[in-house]
Amino acid sequence: MVTHPITERCSASPGSLPPLRALATAFVTQHCGPDEARAADVALAVTEAASNVVRHAYPAPATGVIEFAAWVEGVELFVEVADSGIGFDAGSAKPGLGLRLIRGVASLSLRRNAEGGTRLRMTFPCST
């Protein structure tokens, strides 16, 4: 079973982080059940990924957006956080604390978009 994805675009600003975290938590609770530990893991990962966009994707004075998506396929929850900023070279950059935290709670794939920006896809177990 595949759920219809939810998507959200918001400004890459610190004020966007709490609403994204709440959106992710509500989605995981609705589609994967009321597992508080899982919801906390998803909320942490989304917050860290979106924080990285705010801090690194758009050097001042540039501004931009965070793109968020979440969906369930079978017994897996997928969450993506993307930007169209300067991009991240996963091969040459040393991962910071945020990426290490995300890898501690989710499977992570990170790719630089050909048109610019970065897309993080996080995968979590989802069973009701």
Side-chain angles (χ1 to χ4, degrees):
M1 178 176 112
V2 177
T3 62
H4 291 286
I6 60 166
T7 59
E8 182 72 29
R9 286 176 56 95
C10 57
S11 68
S13 66
S16 296
L17 301 180
L20 279 179
R21 183 181 179 103
L23 181 64
T25 300
F27 185 85
V28 71
T29 300
Q30 178 182 0
H31 294 283
C32 300
D35 181 331
E36 289 182 24
R38 179 179 32 231
D41 287 348
V42 172
L44 171 69
V46 167
T47 301
E48 291 299 326
S51 293
N52 280 343
V53 173
V54 170
R55 282 189 216 116
H56 304 295
Y58 306 102
T63 60
V65 298
I66 299 170
E67 297 176 22
F68 170 86
W71 68 97
V72 174
E73 290 182 23
V75 295
E76 293 184 302
L77 166 69
F78 295 91
V79 178
E80 287 188 347
V81 174
D83 64 76
S84 56
I86 61 172
F88 177 79
D89 186 352
S92 68
K94 193 174 188 180
L97 179 59
L99 288 178
R100 290 193 305 258
L101 285 170
I102 294 168
R103 285 189 175 116
V105 298
S107 297
L108 173 67
S109 69
L110 177 67
R111 76 168 203 251
R112 188 175 184 154
N113 297 326
E115 63 279 358
T118 304
R119 181 170 304 277
L120 270 78
R121 178 178 287 182
M122 301 167 279
T123 308
F124 302 84
C126 177
S127 55
T128 55

